[in-house]
Each structure stands twice: as C-alpha cells, then as structure tokens.
C-alpha cells in the first residue's frame, strides 16, 4: 500500500490542513485579542507547527515514491524563497518566540 493510500494519512492530512486554515483565519484578528487570547493563539500555533513537523517527518522517513516526491516538491518550493524545510520551522519558531516576548512586555 502506498503512503497516500492509507486512510489514516489521508485523514490526518485533511485535519491538519483544516486546522491550519482555521488557525490562520483566526489569527487575522490577533491584534484585537486580549492578552490571554494572544497567549492561547501562540500555544495553538506552536502545537500546529509540531503536528506539521511530525507529519513531514513521516513523509521523509517513508520509502513510498509519492511521499518522497512530496518532500522534494516542498524543498523545491521553499528553495525558491531561499530556505529549507528546517529553516522554515526554525523561522516559525523564532516568530512565535518574538510574539511571546512582545506579549511579556505588555504585562
């Protein structure tokens, strides 16, 4: 069975995408959140990034051709911006850390 033939993989990918979209939509109002709302949003983004990192690691570890092609496609797309997947995750982590630091200054 191929990587993408797995119902579990399909469901997790769908859920990850839907959760990410909902979080990004919610984040558009970040500036209007109170302190606790901002704190909760940052925590949810951190959890989302960890879920995404684990999901991508499954692709990397899979020997399935389509999974490997997906990893290569992501690397190519990010490469157009001059970054690697690891750098993408590191940059998002730094952004969330800055958001936390800014939030601490406000208290």
């Amino acid at each position: 069975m191929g990587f993408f033939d797995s119902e579990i993989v399909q469901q997790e990918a769908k859920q990850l995408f839907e959760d990410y979209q909902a979080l990004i939509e919610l984040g558009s109002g970040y500036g209007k959140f109170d302190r606790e709302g901002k704190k909760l949003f940052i925590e949810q983004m951190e959890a989302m990034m960890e879920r995404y990192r684990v999901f991508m690691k499954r692709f990397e570890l899979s020997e399935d051709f389509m999974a490997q092609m997906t990893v290569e496609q992501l690397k190519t797309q990010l490469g157009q911006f001059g970054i690697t997947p690891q750098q993408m995750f590191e940059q998002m982590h730094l952004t969330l850390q800055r958001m936390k630091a800014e939030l601490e200054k406000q208290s």
Side-chain angles (χ1 to χ4, degrees):
M1 172 167 41
F3 189 79
F4 291 102
D5 294 333
S6 167
E7 192 174 319
I8 293 169
V9 170
Q10 290 175 18
Q11 182 58 37
E12 188 166 345
K14 180 178 182 287
Q15 193 63 55
L16 190 60
F17 179 74
E18 289 173 359
D19 291 351
Y20 179 75
Q21 293 290 51
L23 201 52
I24 292 303
E25 189 175 318
L26 178 67
S28 67
Y30 181 83
K32 298 176 187 171
F33 297 169
D34 64 10
R35 188 174 190 289
E36 286 304 309
K38 288 179 180 180
K39 194 173 173 184
L40 184 59
F41 178 80
I42 293 168
E43 289 170 2
Q44 289 176 345
M45 278 302 290
E46 288 175 325
M48 175 64 63
M49 292 311 295
E50 186 57 29
R51 283 175 57 199
Y52 187 61
R53 184 190 313 267
V54 168
F55 194 71
M56 288 308 300
K57 186 53 84 175
R58 289 183 186 147
F59 278 84
E60 292 172 14
L61 295 174
S62 174
E63 294 179 8
D64 181 77
F65 176 75
M66 290 305 294
Q68 289 302 309
M69 288 300 296
T70 300
V71 170
E72 289 307 313
Q73 186 177 30
L74 176 64
K75 287 179 181 177
T76 299
Q77 289 172 346
L78 291 174
Q80 292 173 351
F81 298 101
I83 63 172
T84 66
Q86 181 62 31
Q87 289 170 322
M88 176 191 72
F89 285 115
E90 289 170 1
Q91 188 59 48
M92 191 62 192
H93 176 74
L94 288 173
T95 298
L96 291 170
Q97 292 303 322
R98 281 194 296 269
M99 290 169 75
K100 281 182 179 178
E102 188 63 34
L103 199 54
E104 290 303 316
K105 287 181 195 174
Q106 295 175 3
S107 57

